[in-house]
Amino acid sequence: MAVKQADVVLVGGGVMSATLGVMLRQLDPSMNIVMLERLDHVAHESTDGWNNAGTGHAGYCELNYTPETGDGDVAIERALQINAQFEVSLQLWSYLVEQGMLPDPTKFINRTPHQSFVWGDKDVAYLKRRYERLSAHHLFREMEYTESPEDLEEWMPLVVQGRDPMQRVAATRIRHGADVDFGSLTRSMVEYLQSQPNFELMLSSPVHYIDQRDNGRWKLRVKNQHTGEQTKLESEFVFLGAGGGALPLLQKSGIAEARGYGGFPVSGQWLVCREPSAVEQHHAKVYGKAPIGAPPMSVPHLDTRIINGEPALLFGPFAGFTTRFLKQGSLFDLFGSVRSTNLKPMLSVSKSNMDLTRYLIGEVFQSHSDRIKSLRNFFPEAREDRWTLRTAGQRVQIIKQAEGGGGKLEFGTEIVAAKDGTLAALLGASPGASTAANAMISVIERCFPKKLQTPEWQERMKMLVPSYGQSLVDDEALLTKVRERTLSTLKLG
């Protein structure tokens, strides 16, 4: 059997692999790139429009990114970081649109105001303090705050109709927030890659074997699920961007950096409404506060969604527990990921997060009426018969070894890279896809450091992302220049 040679192998046909593939193609057009996808289509797991929130996560409305401190203040550092990272994605997408590598931006991104909504004196006080802290920074200078019934009627009519007029409520708004169809975005990026030389997409081809040779190159073996044909590949660099499937592959790679990592799978469901009378009245992503004990990805929100060009309303997500690492994975995924190196951290996390486990199991056994009751906190006049339940994608939260040998559960994304830079994997979930460009720049910095130092790569990187190497958090003039361009190019202004 002949061995297929490649410079880069991208495992997984989601937004992360597609983003890295597009960036590497621009940095070095001569690279031979192979993308492997276990399903018969790209972007049909976590990246698919129905399998994620579609929020362009920028910290505008997500209250879990701005926790209340012990002294009653609000910590905004993570929101600033995520906002700046999303701006990096907007810059890359703008470049790709300008160069004709992506279609008209309305095919994958649409202006959708980002709003936070709370009720009760305690949460209103928190939201007002959050607004004061964030709006004082240039990244959030356009944020608006209101407790006015008239404003709320304009901003979110479905949310205030039928609500108790005596209930104290408040909201914030950023008008240039975005709804992103990451599935359509990714499929467009892969279509572009397929139009280029030295690129091959192999569908229905899960990786069964991965190992590093003595010369540093990686050997992979894949088997086509339809034909049974086996293919051997050899590559200088491998990226594991397979969503929940990345952890088992990282473990199979045997790199020392993978030791101690485990995964905690979480499933999700959405309530979906396509009734025009409701859809036409709501044009926003309205985020609230998560219930006590809920994981961060379960912050409730009522969203305008445009998926494959079709508008709908989504509410959720409702979390649940599963042992699958992928939506189309195996019930044995969790058990198969247990190793002697991660057993202690995983047991430690399971023991210290019993409240979370009970919460997730409780979510699984909710009735449709229970979910509609939660929805009515945001849409008091919601009709039960107009909402249906749809299963979202799987998320595998990171379990890491902590000091003392125990474990800790991480709610975020993390890049794990081999010391020699020949392999990297992306683990974790939210903010995930929204920060794909920033995450893939980190992969390039860690795995292609010598090439990135060359004048050619530096120049090309700054074409892709004009703010590269500079801080949008610290440089207000740069942020103003960058945002003016991206809002115009992506039709978000």
Side-chain angles (χ1 to χ4, degrees):
M1 182 188 302
V3 179
K4 190 186 298 288
Q5 300 292 326
D7 297 311
V8 172
V9 169
L10 306 170
V11 182
V15 66
M16 294 295 177
S17 290
T19 299
L20 182 59
V22 166
M23 296 183 78
L24 289 175
R25 172 61 68 216
Q26 301 309 302
L27 293 169
D28 184 354
S30 70
M31 276 190 178
N32 188 312
I33 301 174
V34 176
M35 176 181 283
L36 306 175
E37 169 54 49
R38 63 191 291 272
L39 302 179
D40 57 4
H41 293 84
V42 298
H44 272 240
E45 267 283 352
S46 297
T47 298
D48 183 75
W50 290 109
N51 288 343
N52 58 70
T55 301
H57 285 299
Y60 293 141
C61 55
E62 307 93 331
L63 302 181
N64 55 304
Y65 295 156
T66 50
E68 192 168 6
T69 61
D71 60 0
D73 202 355
V74 176
I76 66 170
E77 290 74 23
R78 187 157 187 246
L80 298 180
Q81 178 189 43
I82 289 172
N83 188 282
Q85 291 176 353
F86 184 58
E87 290 287 346
V88 171
S89 291
L90 294 177
Q91 289 175 73
L92 176 64
W93 301 340
S94 295
Y95 172 83
L96 298 177
V97 167
E98 290 166 349
Q99 299 301 312
M101 300 171 195
L102 284 178
D104 183 280
T106 58
K107 299 291 185 181
F108 65 89
I109 189 169
N110 288 275
R111 174 176 171 170
T112 308
H114 282 198
Q115 303 175 1
S116 301
F117 176 75
V118 299
W119 55 89
D121 291 343
K122 183 176 184 297
D123 287 342
V124 168
Y126 157 77
L127 189 66
K128 187 171 185 180
R129 180 58 181 152
R130 178 182 188 268
Y131 160 74
E132 291 169 347
R133 294 279 279 118
L134 285 175
S135 61
H137 194 281
H138 58 267
L139 286 169
F140 292 82
R141 62 192 173 206
E142 295 92 353
M143 180 175 279
E144 304 169 76
Y145 174 88
T146 190
E147 297 180 31
S148 161
E150 291 77 17
D151 289 340
L152 292 169
E153 178 68 30
E154 176 197 343
W155 293 11
M156 49 185 81
L158 292 186
V159 175
V160 297
Q161 288 172 13
R163 187 170 296 278
D164 179 358
M166 300 305 293
Q167 183 183 52
R168 191 180 177 199
V169 296
T172 58
R173 174 173 73 170
I174 291 278
R175 300 185 189 221
H176 61 251
D179 174 68
V180 187
D181 182 349
F182 288 106
S184 293
L185 168 66
T186 299
R187 287 186 280 274
S188 293
M189 287 194 287
V190 174
E191 286 175 13
Y192 161 73
L193 287 170
Q194 288 183 283
S195 73
Q196 301 299 299
N198 304 321
F199 177 83
E200 182 178 0
L201 171 64
M202 298 177 64
L203 298 172
S204 305
S205 300
V207 175
H208 289 284
Y209 175 84
I210 179 170
D211 190 42
Q212 190 172 28
R213 296 184 58 184
D214 291 339
N215 64 4
R217 292 176 65 83
W218 286 90
K219 298 182 296 181
L220 299 97
R221 188 166 63 244
V222 303
K223 183 177 180 180
N224 187 288
Q225 292 180 307
H226 296 310
T227 67
E229 179 184 2
Q230 291 195 36
T231 303
K232 291 183 178 179
L233 298 98
E234 191 173 290
S235 180
E236 183 178 339
F237 172 75
V238 175
F239 174 66
L240 305 177
L247 176 61
L249 289 170
L250 180 64
Q251 292 175 327
K252 285 182 180 181
S253 75
I255 65 171
E257 291 76 11
R259 292 176 61 86
Y261 279 93
F264 184 89
V266 178
S267 63
Q269 294 176 311
W270 300 106
L271 286 174
V272 181
C273 174
R274 292 188 175 90
E275 178 65 35
S277 63
V279 174
E280 291 168 4
Q281 288 188 70
H282 187 79
H283 183 64
K285 289 181 178 289
V286 179
Y287 274 60
K289 292 194 78 173
I292 295 174
M297 80 293 297
S298 295
V299 172
H301 44 105
L302 179 63
D303 290 1
T304 295
R305 295 300 311 275
I306 300 176
I307 301 173
N308 300 322
E310 295 295 323
L313 291 185
L314 268 68
F315 177 76
F318 297 94
F321 180 73
T322 175
T323 55
R324 301 179 195 269
F325 277 5
L326 292 166
K327 191 174 182 179
Q328 300 186 46
S330 166
L331 289 170
F332 297 100
D333 287 341
L334 174 60
F335 309 108
S337 72
V338 178
R339 301 284 191 276
S340 60
T341 57
N342 66 12
L343 178 59
K344 189 173 180 180
M346 291 181 73
L347 290 175
S348 173
V349 164
S350 64
K351 182 179 179 181
S352 60
N353 286 274
M354 288 303 298
D355 287 345
L356 172 60
T357 303
R358 282 192 289 268
Y359 168 80
L360 295 177
I361 293 173
E363 288 276 284
V364 171
F365 290 104
Q366 279 196 101
S367 67
H368 187 62
S369 295
D370 290 333
R371 295 187 179 97
I372 294 295
K373 184 177 179 180
S374 298
L375 166 63
R376 286 179 178 146
N377 287 324
F378 286 78
F379 182 3
E381 297 183 346
R383 287 179 47 177
E384 188 169 332
D385 60 344
R386 292 186 176 180
W387 293 79
T388 57
L389 193 65
R390 182 160 186 146
T391 301
Q394 295 294 106
R395 299 293 183 268
V396 179
Q397 307 302 324
I398 303 166
I399 293 176
K400 295 176 63 172
Q401 194 162 12
E403 292 184 13
K408 59 179 179 178
L409 189 62
E410 298 279 349
F411 292 103
T413 52
E414 184 167 336
I415 294 162
V416 180
K419 184 178 181 180
D420 63 5
T422 60
L423 182 142
L426 186 106
L427 304 179
S430 181
S434 297
T435 60
N438 186 81
M440 294 307 98
I441 287 174
S442 295
V443 169
I444 292 169
E445 289 175 339
R446 294 173 67 172
C447 299
F448 298 87
K450 291 182 179 179
K451 290 184 177 181
L452 188 55
Q453 290 171 9
T454 64
E456 294 81 9
W457 278 46
Q458 283 288 312
E459 181 181 354
R460 290 171 182 169
M461 185 65 86
K462 288 177 180 175
M463 288 176 59
L464 297 174
V465 179
S467 70
Y468 177 70
Q470 304 169 81
S471 172
L472 292 173
V473 175
D474 298 330
D475 193 331
E476 182 172 2
L478 177 63
L479 181 277
T480 300
K481 181 179 179 180
V482 162
R483 187 171 283 174
E484 182 178 351
R485 173 205 176 206
T486 58
L487 293 183
S488 173
T489 302
L490 299 176
K491 302 181 180 179
L492 300 174

